[in-house]
Amino acid sequence: MIVNGPETTKRSIRILLSETRGFCAGVVRAIDIVERALETYGPPVYVRHEIVHNRHVVDSLREKGVIFVKEVNDIPIGAVAVFSAHGVSRRVEDDSKLRELHVIDATCPLVKKVHNEAHRYSRQGREIILIGHNGHPEVEGTMGQIEGTVFLISTEEEVWQLKPTDPAKLAYVTQTTLSVDDTKEIVAALKKRFPQIVGPGASDICYATQNRQDAVKKLMSKCDLILVIGAQNSSNSNRLREICESNGTRSLLIPDAGSIDSEWFKGVETVGVTAGASAPEILVQQLVARLGEMFDATVESLAGVSENVVFRLPREFRRKGLDLKEAVD
């Protein structure tokens, strides 16, 4: 005999999506470069370090014939090699020439802009202060691009420990995955201690970092829990979670929908969802689908900044269909 039990009713939950989320123009460009290198030259294509900080992106490219290496010395002589979006040092550039590699540079143009600013300051005889996180590949690349003295700092306290040769000949630059809000206290301390210091204008910040942080601040006031999709080694994704936590909103950094736990949602009526600049949109959609399986979910979008920035590809990969009037180097 079969006895039908009572139907289980799913608990209602509201999903609020940050409209400003996911891939930035620099990440789109970097992935596009690797895809077109595969089309043009065929596999294998070698990439120094992860092209962007996301396992799903890296695994997908690996399946297509990309080989990721730690250093250019791991790449066969004469092979096709791509530099990641984070940029590289001059030493890496020199080693690539010695190995006669066909190099395609996927460094984000905004990172390149920081390199160029640092070169300009260095030519003026200034010592450079780099605001960033020790060990981050972008920071390592930037420090390796600068001739002369570079001071790396990440906190306001470190400003007061600096011992420059000439306090009147200083300049500062910042890691691109840090926003104006992330660096404003450090910059204020630098200007207070070294009134003659020079640095980039506000327009030089990474638009994507600032936009995603501004968006998550609006999101957290409306949510009981915020899920940030991104890799553990993604600086901008970690910062989104930190901003929520520091403002009293519970937040978790997750790699994908497969990592969520039903226990997280006890007492949660509205869950916010955003994604770091290197997280593909499909991961957001998979998370929404998973939450829809677990709950009686309604999905809404929180309006944010519309991003239409496009970065030019290297000349060898440009196609006639790209409107160069909209693209920027």
Side-chain angles (χ1 to χ4, degrees):
M1 180 176 65
I2 300 176
V3 178
N4 292 326
E7 289 188 12
T8 302
T9 302
K10 292 181 179 179
R11 182 168 68 84
S12 297
I13 199 168
R14 178 183 179 222
I15 303 171
L16 192 55
L17 300 177
S18 173
E19 193 170 298
T20 309
R21 64 177 186 266
F23 279 176
C24 63
V27 166
V28 170
R29 176 180 182 270
I31 295 171
D32 205 1
I33 284 173
V34 177
E35 296 274 9
R36 295 197 188 189
L38 286 167
E39 293 174 10
T40 304
Y41 303 105
V45 167
Y46 293 83
V47 177
R48 182 184 179 273
H49 293 178
E50 294 181 343
I51 187 67
V52 294
H53 283 156
N54 188 273
R55 178 176 58 82
H56 293 270
V57 172
V58 169
D59 287 349
S60 175
L61 292 172
R62 186 178 283 118
E63 290 174 2
K64 296 175 182 178
V66 173
I67 298 176
F68 294 91
V69 299
K70 290 185 177 180
E71 297 298 340
V72 294
N73 290 336
D74 299 323
I75 303 174
I77 292 173
V80 175
V82 179
F83 293 158
S84 78
H86 308 103
V88 299
S89 67
R90 289 189 171 185
R91 177 188 61 79
V92 171
E93 294 173 343
D94 292 341
D95 287 347
S96 299
K97 291 176 182 177
L98 289 174
R99 298 189 70 77
E100 300 178 349
L101 301 179
H102 179 98
V103 172
I104 307 163
D105 192 355
T107 301
C108 174
L110 294 179
V111 175
K112 280 286 190 184
K113 191 173 185 180
V114 172
H115 292 179
N116 292 336
E117 287 169 343
H119 291 322
R120 177 166 57 86
Y121 294 141
S122 182
R123 287 193 298 269
Q124 294 171 355
R126 300 179 185 274
E127 291 180 317
I128 311 297
I129 298 168
L130 172 58
I131 304 171
H133 298 307
N134 187 31
H136 191 280
E138 180 189 328
V139 167
E140 292 178 349
T142 299
M143 292 186 71
Q145 283 285 332
I146 301 171
E147 295 180 1
T149 302
V150 185
F151 300 99
L152 175 63
I153 62 172
S154 57
T155 66
E156 184 180 352
E157 289 72 25
E158 290 174 300
V159 171
W160 309 102
Q161 300 168 14
L162 291 169
K163 297 178 180 179
T165 303
D166 183 353
K169 297 286 285 184
L170 287 175
Y172 72 88
V173 293
T174 69
Q175 181 180 331
T176 64
T177 49
L178 299 177
S179 71
V180 168
D181 291 342
D182 293 331
T183 61
K184 64 182 180 182
E185 292 181 356
I186 299 175
V187 171
L190 284 171
K191 291 180 177 179
K192 182 176 181 180
R193 185 177 175 200
F194 308 112
Q196 293 175 277
I197 195 170
V198 298
S203 62
D204 286 357
I205 66 164
C206 174
Y207 75 95
T209 297
Q210 189 67 54
N211 288 349
R212 278 149 192 72
Q213 290 188 14
D214 290 344
V216 84
K217 288 174 184 177
K218 294 178 182 178
L219 193 67
M220 64 190 181
S221 65
K222 305 176 185 297
C223 301
D224 306 303
L225 168 67
I226 292 181
L227 299 178
V228 178
I229 301 176
Q232 290 293 329
N233 60 340
S234 167
S235 176
N236 72 88
S237 299
N238 274 286
R239 186 62 183 132
L240 293 175
R241 181 195 61 77
E242 290 168 0
I243 287 171
C244 297
E245 291 284 353
S246 64
N247 285 275
T249 302
R250 189 161 66 100
S251 180
L252 297 165
L253 176 64
I254 62 171
D256 51 41
S259 60
I260 63 175
D261 187 331
S262 59
E263 292 295 313
W264 297 348
F265 302 93
K266 287 184 177 180
V268 172
E269 296 182 358
T270 301
V271 57
V273 176
T274 188
S278 53
E281 177 61 19
I282 189 171
L283 298 183
V284 175
Q285 298 307 319
Q286 288 172 349
L287 175 60
V288 171
R290 177 68 184 119
L291 291 173
E293 294 171 356
M294 297 168 63
F295 304 100
D296 177 16
T298 59
V299 183
E300 303 172 34
S301 288
L302 183 65
V305 176
S306 178
E307 296 177 345
N308 55 9
V309 176
V310 178
F311 291 138
R312 281 195 180 103
L313 294 174
R315 189 172 299 278
E316 63 189 295
F317 295 143
R318 292 180 192 172
R319 294 173 178 170
K320 293 181 180 178
L322 176 63
D323 184 355
L324 296 183
K325 292 181 181 179
E326 295 183 1
V328 293
D329 288 317

